[in-house]
Amino acid sequence: MGVPPPNLYALFQARFPREKSALFLEVDDPAGHVRYDAVETETGRLQAWLAELGVAKGDRVLVQVEKSPLAILLYLACLRRGAIYVPLNTAYTTAEVAYFLDDAAPRMLVCDPPREAALAPGAARAGVTHVRTLGADGAGSVVDYRRCAPDRTVAACDTDDTAAILYTSGTTGRSKGAMLSHANLAANALTLHHVWRWAPGDVLLHALPIFHAHGLFVALHCALLNGSRVRLVSGFDAARVVALMRDATVFMGVPTHYTRLLAEPTLDTAACGGMRLFLSGSAPLLASTHRAFTARTGHEILERYGMTEAGMITSNPYDGPRVPGCVGPGLPGVDARVVDDQGRECPRGEAGTLEIRGPNVFTGYWRMPERTAEEFRSDGFFITGDLATMADDGRVTLVGRAKDLIISGGFNVYPKEIETALDALPGVRESAVIGLPHPDFGEGVTAVVVPEAGAHLVEEVLIAALADTLARFKQPKRVFVVTELPRNAMGKVQKAALRTQLADTFTVS
Ligand code: AMP
């Protein structure tokens, strides 16, 4: 694969299609399409404009905007200039953005026009000199960049120079900014481009948000390395996504996308006839969803696993079995091991903490050297915080987040095991298992389940149904039936919210 050039933009640039009028970004209105030759000129103009405003190499550009071609060009322009792109979830409130303004200390804040008035005071307090909007016009709009002549250079970078800071979605404590270097992102992108067999003619159907590693890095970087066309979709309308599959070959989604696609009557083999690859990640894909999708479309979803701090870590194979419930072996170049509390490697098949090492692993948390040091072992392995088992052939199965591990009566209970048992019961669509404060057991195993459409679930019946499957200490002491589980934008079940909501279950009589 060769040594990647240090600036990630240069790596993409070297692979832009020879036919420069080839389309890069495609949106609903053809006037908004972006061709590959425009990527060069527009990011050139944007970086000249950034320079004019004093944004230098290493300066942070904090961005809270909806998905659009211009937002993607701005990201690429920051890479090109060597500025550090810091995207924020569009759901963050003004108070939350104020934290990121203080923490990231950016040179510039870019937001959507309706947010400007609310965010400006926090930006001023944090000493941010420029607030710009991604609106169509107006004095403070980014489109002002169009008057600048393109700067055709690409900033020279050292291998460890930070390309982006992505804040972890941390549910407790302060959100941490993971610094990803140009080299981290390049290494991961080259590997994924290779293992997922990107080839000429591939077209990406992009329905993910672009403030998270999945949509911003995994999806866009693969497409850019391939000189591919990217069909951008904002929001997730399953019927539209199915209709657009007729003109695409690759789709990347979170598990919720797949359940919504399955609920869409037009999804069938004909609709996916031209598709080559369906990928899933960011949250666990139910085995039942995996099977139902294959039955309906003839395509086996390829599940992979990663995290903000490391990009992609494992992937099911492109050829060979894509095992439901398993996230595959470590990617080429990524060392993965499962260790116990003492840091000793666990026997194969036994659950422990997953640790990884590789060129994709971030350089550290922004301005948190102590936190960074705590999360790395002395031999360079990063402690992912995920609990997993590893099979003899190296395939990894995740069994829960370390912080979600339940210790009941002194015994470890891995939520995934209980969830899998519950999901297999008739009438159960999905479940989330958590530990709640319990006067006798320390933590009481508690399940929250969602019924299949039309099914009526009864707590006592569900508990009794697990009696023969699970050891007594693993059996849920309470089961709550709900219509849906709380999820974030990436489809992750918010277990912390469930724990808060149900905190008094065993302690208040
Ligand atoms: P984030 O940093 O927001 O991307 O979240 C990373 C976390 O999402 C990982 O540490 C895992 O706990 C979870 N995750 C990502 N992909 C998967 C997957 N395929 N299956 C289960 N959990 C996943």
Side-chain angles (χ1 to χ4, degrees):
M1 273 184 250
V3 180
N7 188 310
L8 183 60
Y9 182 83
L11 180 65
F12 297 146
Q13 195 183 36
R15 292 173 171 232
F16 285 170
R18 242 187 276 278
E19 178 52 70
K20 294 288 184 240
S21 64
L23 271 182
F24 169 42
L25 299 174
E26 214 181 6
V27 285
D28 295 346
D29 175 2
H33 292 356
V34 177
R35 298 183 185 280
Y36 271 96
D37 51 2
V39 176
E40 271 294 281
T41 49
E42 300 306 286
T43 60
R45 284 184 209 283
L46 274 162
Q47 71 160 342
W49 176 79
L50 289 169
E52 216 181 84
L53 292 171
V55 177
K57 187 177 162 198
D59 281 345
R60 275 78 56 211
V61 177
L62 193 71
V63 179
Q64 189 191 34
V65 294
E66 295 297 337
K67 184 173 175 178
S68 72
L70 186 50
I72 292 170
L73 290 173
L74 180 64
Y75 163 57
L76 295 174
C78 287
L79 288 179
R80 196 168 175 180
R81 175 133 190 87
I84 300 175
Y85 189 76
V86 191
L88 293 182
N89 190 323
T90 44
Y92 285 146
T93 62
T94 304
E96 285 164 328
V97 175
Y99 165 77
F100 297 112
L101 282 162
D102 284 336
D103 193 64
R107 171 80 58 189
M108 179 188 275
L109 167 69
V110 179
C111 62
D112 288 320
R115 303 278 287 134
E116 188 184 8
L119 297 179
R125 267 196 306 278
V128 177
T129 38
H130 303 292
V131 178
R132 292 292 182 271
T133 67
L134 222 62
D137 47 34
S141 168
V142 170
V143 294
D144 176 46
Y145 85 88
R146 292 197 181 125
R147 60 174 175 72
C148 297
D151 170 354
R152 302 274 176 196
T153 62
V154 179
C157 283
D158 287 329
T159 304
D160 269 350
D161 279 351
T162 303
I165 296 175
L166 259 60
Y167 280 91
T168 57
S169 47
T171 42
T172 50
R174 289 173 59 202
S175 182
K176 306 182 290 286
M179 296 186 288
L180 281 316
S181 68
H182 286 256
N184 290 148
L185 298 175
N188 210 224
L190 287 165
T191 300
L192 299 178
H193 182 264
H194 176 71
V195 299
W196 293 338
R197 306 277 172 85
W198 283 77
D202 268 332
V203 175
L204 174 71
L205 180 51
H206 190 299
L208 292 159
I210 54 164
F211 52 72
H212 185 270
H214 196 166
L216 184 65
F217 299 153
V218 184
L220 287 178
H221 291 178
C222 283
L224 280 159
L225 281 182
N226 205 54
S228 273
R229 176 155 59 88
V230 179
R231 179 59 167 98
L232 290 182
V233 183
S234 295
F236 193 85
D237 174 342
R240 281 204 63 222
V241 169
V242 172
L244 289 169
M245 280 176 193
R246 292 184 194 279
D247 188 29
T249 63
V250 180
F251 174 80
M252 297 189 188
V254 298
T256 331
H257 290 160
Y258 288 102
T259 44
R260 291 199 205 157
L261 286 171
L262 282 166
E264 169 50 41
T266 56
L267 180 80
D268 57 19
T269 39
C272 313
M275 291 293 293
R276 177 177 72 79
L277 182 59
F278 287 92
L279 288 144
S280 176
S282 293
L285 181 74
L286 290 175
S288 55
T289 308
H290 191 284
R291 283 191 285 268
F293 198 83
T294 307
R296 184 83 162 269
T297 66
H299 284 276
E300 269 189 78
I301 299 171
L302 195 159
E303 185 175 10
R304 90 302 179 279
Y305 149 73
M307 64 195 306
T308 303
E309 288 91 335
M312 295 302 96
I313 298 166
T314 70
S315 172
N316 270 282
Y318 188 83
D319 294 317
R322 300 176 185 176
V323 183
C326 163
V327 292
L331 285 163
V334 178
D335 296 327
R337 67 185 183 199
V338 173
V339 302
D340 65 15
D341 295 348
Q342 314 298 314
R344 288 177 304 230
E345 211 158 333
C346 294
R348 294 288 163 123
E350 220 165 79
T353 303
L354 184 69
E355 298 185 348
I356 55 160
R357 187 172 60 183
N360 53 320
V361 178
F362 74 139
T363 58
Y365 293 113
W366 169 252
R367 292 185 174 167
M368 285 188 180
E370 294 84 12
R371 264 328 275 278
T372 304
E374 281 168 20
E375 315 264 334
F376 281 89
R377 301 273 180 206
S378 54
D379 57 2
F381 274 79
F382 171 63
I383 306 164
T384 62
D386 284 310
L387 301 173
T389 61
M390 191 182 279
D392 286 335
D393 61 4
R395 282 169 193 270
V396 172
T397 299
L398 299 171
V399 293
R401 290 287 295 162
K403 65 177 177 1
D404 294 330
L405 175 71
I406 305 165
I407 304 180
S408 190
F411 293 109
N412 284 359
V413 179
Y414 297 95
K416 176 78 181 288
E417 186 185 353
I418 323 305
E419 288 159 3
T420 306
L422 278 163
D423 295 349
L425 297 178
V428 175
R429 174 137 66 107
E430 58 175 347
S431 58
V433 169
I434 53 174
L436 296 176
H438 191 290
D440 293 337
F441 298 102
E443 283 187 295
V445 180
T446 307
V448 183
V449 298
V450 179
E452 300 272 17
H456 177 66
L457 299 178
V458 176
E459 178 174 16
E460 293 72 22
V461 176
L462 291 170
I463 293 176
L466 294 179
D468 295 336
T469 325
L470 298 173
R472 201 169 170 76
F473 72 93
K474 298 181 189 171
Q475 292 168 18
K477 300 195 167 27
R478 290 295 313 268
V479 177
F480 294 91
V481 180
V482 298
T483 49
E484 62 178 356
L485 297 173
R487 289 199 144 85
N488 72 4
M490 300 309 292
K492 285 193 225 303
V493 174
Q494 302 296 277
K495 290 196 168 178
L498 288 175
R499 279 192 289 262
T500 309
Q501 201 185 317
L502 300 170
D504 298 337
T505 300
F506 302 111
T507 50
V508 175
S509 51

